[in-house]
């Protein structure tokens, strides 16, 4: 409403506008592939294989690269990548499939350092303690989660990414008792 807008403007003292990034996970795929030499940057394919490097098309599907073992804590079944248990590999993970985090990696004193970018949904039903993985690429800094579809947080996730964002192409749903310190931006199906 006009009243809400006026109240917002009054309490923010005409703060400068911030640029909202484009929410399209396919844009991130080549960036993750290009960081293969930096280590801990993985392409999780929709057939259950994992590579580093390679090339990625505008559709977000990647080819080539070097095959590597599935990172610790991750599994592939039912056409989705899953994280279970109390520990998982740190890094930047670009997934061509859905991602389901139902484990609880990390702790308040030692958070799981991860950036998850998925062409499809991300669901977090566990209780992970997470913060963004510190990549050397400016394009990937301070990103915690980027989805090409929906985000559902139904667990007790604790996340501190105050300078960064969770970017959701469609919509998000939050239930249970998560503790989140950072921005969540949803595009409602509009990548820009």
């Amino acid at each position: 409403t006009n009243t809400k807008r006026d109240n917002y403007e009054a309490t923010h003292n005409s703060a400068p506008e911030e640029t909202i990034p484009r929410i399209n996970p396919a844009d991130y795929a080549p960036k993750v592939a290009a960081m293969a030499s930096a280590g801990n940057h993985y392409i999780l394919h929709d057939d259950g294989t994992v590579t580093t490097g390679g090339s990625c098309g505008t559709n977000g599907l990647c080819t080539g690269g070097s095959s590597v073992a599935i990172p610790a804590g991750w599994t592939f079944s039912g056409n989705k990548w899953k994280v279970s248990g109390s520990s998982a590999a740190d890094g930047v993970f670009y997934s061509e499939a859905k991602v389901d985090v139902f484990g609880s990696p990390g702790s308040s004193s030692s958070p799981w350092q991860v950036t998850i970018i998925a062409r499809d949904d991300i669901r977090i039903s566990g209780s992970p303690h997470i913060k963004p993985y510190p990549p050397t690429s400016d394009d990937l800094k301070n990103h915690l989660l980027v989805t090409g579809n929906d985000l559902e947080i139904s667990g007790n996730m604790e996340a501190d990414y105050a300078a960064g964002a969770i970017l959701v192409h469609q919509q998000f749903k939050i239930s249970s008792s998560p503790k989140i310190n950072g921005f969540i931006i949803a595009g409602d199906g509009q990548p820009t």
Side-chain angles (χ1 to χ4, degrees):
T1 66
N2 288 339
T3 301
K4 286 183 181 179
R5 184 192 68 228
D6 293 343
N7 289 342
Y8 177 84
E9 289 174 352
T11 59
H12 288 80
N13 298 323
S14 300
E17 291 183 6
E18 297 290 336
T19 302
I20 295 175
R22 178 178 155 98
I23 304 173
N24 183 1
D27 294 344
Y28 292 90
K31 296 171 181 18
V32 175
M35 297 300 297
S37 62
N40 292 8
H41 292 71
Y42 304 96
I43 306 293
L44 307 174
H45 295 279
D46 59 5
D47 64 358
T49 60
V50 181
T51 59
T52 59
S55 60
C56 303
T58 57
N59 63 356
L61 296 175
C62 304
T63 58
S66 301
S67 293
V68 295
I70 293 175
W74 290 82
T75 59
F76 183 80
S77 67
N79 295 321
K80 71 173 79 169
W81 285 97
K82 300 176 181 182
V83 176
S84 61
S86 60
S87 65
D90 292 342
V92 176
F93 299 88
Y94 175 81
S95 174
E96 296 176 346
K98 293 180 180 184
V99 174
D100 188 357
V101 178
F102 58 91
S104 300
S107 65
S108 56
S109 61
S110 181
W112 179 29
Q113 294 185 30
V114 66
T115 296
I116 300 173
I117 303 163
R119 283 183 72 227
D120 207 327
D121 297 334
I122 296 176
R123 181 172 180 251
I124 299 180
S125 58
S127 298
H129 289 73
I130 59 179
K131 71 177 189 177
Y133 184 78
T136 55
S137 166
D138 285 338
D139 294 322
L140 298 172
K141 282 186 180 171
N142 297 319
H143 286 63
L144 186 62
L145 306 171
V146 180
T147 74
N149 208 350
D150 295 331
L151 169 68
E152 181 180 352
I153 298 172
S154 60
N156 295 321
M157 176 178 87
E158 291 192 20
D160 187 356
Y161 56 99
I166 291 175
L167 305 175
V168 182
H169 182 75
Q170 293 285 346
Q171 297 88 25
F172 65 89
K173 177 182 179 182
I174 299 175
S175 59
S176 199
S177 300
K179 295 178 182 174
I180 300 172
N181 183 17
F183 296 98
I184 298 178
I185 301 170
D188 198 27
Q190 303 298 315
T192 57

